[in-house]
Amino acid sequence: MSDELNKQTLWTGDYYNQGTGPNDIFDTLKEECGVFGVYGHSEAASLSYYGLHALQHRGEESAGLCVSDRNKFHYHRGMGLVKEVFDKDTLGSLTGDISIGHVRYSTSGDSRLTNAQPLVFRYRAGELALATNGNIVNAPQIRRELEEAGSIFQTTSDTEVVAHLIARSNKPLVEAAKDAFRQIVGGFAFMIMTNEQLIVASDPNGLRPITMGRLGEAYIFASETCALETIGAELVRDVQPGELLILDQHGLIEDRYIEPQRKALCSMEYIYFARPDSDMNGANLHAARKRMGSVMAQESFIDADLVTGVPDSSISAAIGFAEQTGIPYELGMIKNKYTGRTFIQPSQELREQGVKMKLSAVRRVVEGKRVVMIDDSIVRGTTSRRIVNMLRDAGATEVHVRITSPPFKNPCFYGIDTPDRRELIASTMSIEEMRKELNADSLTFLSFEGLIKAVGGDNSTDYKGGMCMACFDNDYPTQTDFGGEEQFGCGC
């Protein structure tokens, strides 16, 4: 290795899969987290391993499992991918029939092992483990109050706030958990485990997804149904907003800690985050994304020679656009699946070309063609501009950009890593200004009505089709102002 390369940082973080924030070559919205739980199966650890692997797209920085044998906890956490954190010997040591697991992409909380989940504590009633997907908006305020009252925090994760609220209560665990959930504001899917009990809860608006399945006599919980499919479990239903489920020696107890509020499942789950083979609110996401492409074609048809989608999340929508218009769908771009989140960046000049390490245009397909490029969202605009220029460099004569979501203008407080509002290109530029910035021949976004129709919400009595669309219209379903102490992003 040359002296010059030796001066450079091989990874942009402390380890291979660490996120790079605004310096990432791809400035797309970052994953949230994923949770997986098992109650009543002798192979709980192995099932959770496969379940977490199916949820890997929701978090690539750390993974963890905590298993109970009804007497004590066995747990392991590590930085990196699920397959890197766990091996045969590690899984073999995690004995028991109750488990909770987690894959994490940190945003608000620091990227370090102490924040990897499940978080495990010992308190007055014994051992306690917690895992969550989402964000507690008022976590900084509650944390400050707890610290002033004498609590000592071991992590920067907002999940620990709930642990302290439970530990400080004199009530039995279930009632203490209910009281804790009533105090927090945000979007979350929580799992709490003791040696003999599993508690699962959803926020009052159902902002973060959580589903329940069955595998024989065992109960399975997962952020997405694709994880249930992976282990052969049967979907039972979604955990409802404000619901609290308790599993113990008496079986399943269906309870709630608060009445449900306005239903507001994150619209970006439909658009981008969840795997296309998952179902949410009874809708298959591949089918929903195809409809987004179809509605997009009806709203903003453009004559072209081919349609291509930015891999992987926009391929379904690109197929829908092509089917609606009759313009052929082609694999105009190829994604390299083996680069990881970050890679060697020996110079700024090579960094500017680095997008080609993750994505490349198929010259023989796009050369001399008018191309419709389908993507799911635009954040800062730098990635979209690079992709448009990449297609032009490959010989495309025209590049028309179609985005299967409304313009992303506002930060998320409920579990998505979003930049400051001033860094969101749609919040500072008109569509025509964005088109020029992207070097595209045309640019259009899916309408609010089109998005609601595409996910099947047009026949729903739920407000906005039961979705949170605050990142598009600034209409947040919860309080977000806590005197400057509010937290946005993903604090888990």
Side-chain angles (χ1 to χ4, degrees), residues 26 47 161 222 303 327 373 428:
F26 271 40
L47 291 176
V161 167
D303 191 20
I327 301 171
M373 184 193 96
T428 60

Side-chain angles (χ1 to χ4, degrees), residues 200-215:
V200 180
S202 174
D203 67 80
N205 300 95
L207 282 151
R208 299 268 65 90
I210 182 73
T211 62
M212 177 172 65
R214 294 296 300 270
L215 182 62

Side-chain angles (χ1 to χ4, degrees), residues 132-150:
T132 186
N133 164 35
N135 187 58
I136 300 172
V137 185
N138 62 336
Q141 183 186 68
I142 297 175
R143 183 187 184 101
R144 176 179 53 78
E145 293 169 355
L146 288 169
E147 287 175 333
E148 290 174 352

Side-chain angles (χ1 to χ4, degrees), residues 62 77-79 111-117:
S62 68
R77 300 173 298 171
M79 306 305 289
S111 179
R112 59 184 184 181
L113 183 58
T114 53
N115 283 332
Q117 295 189 31

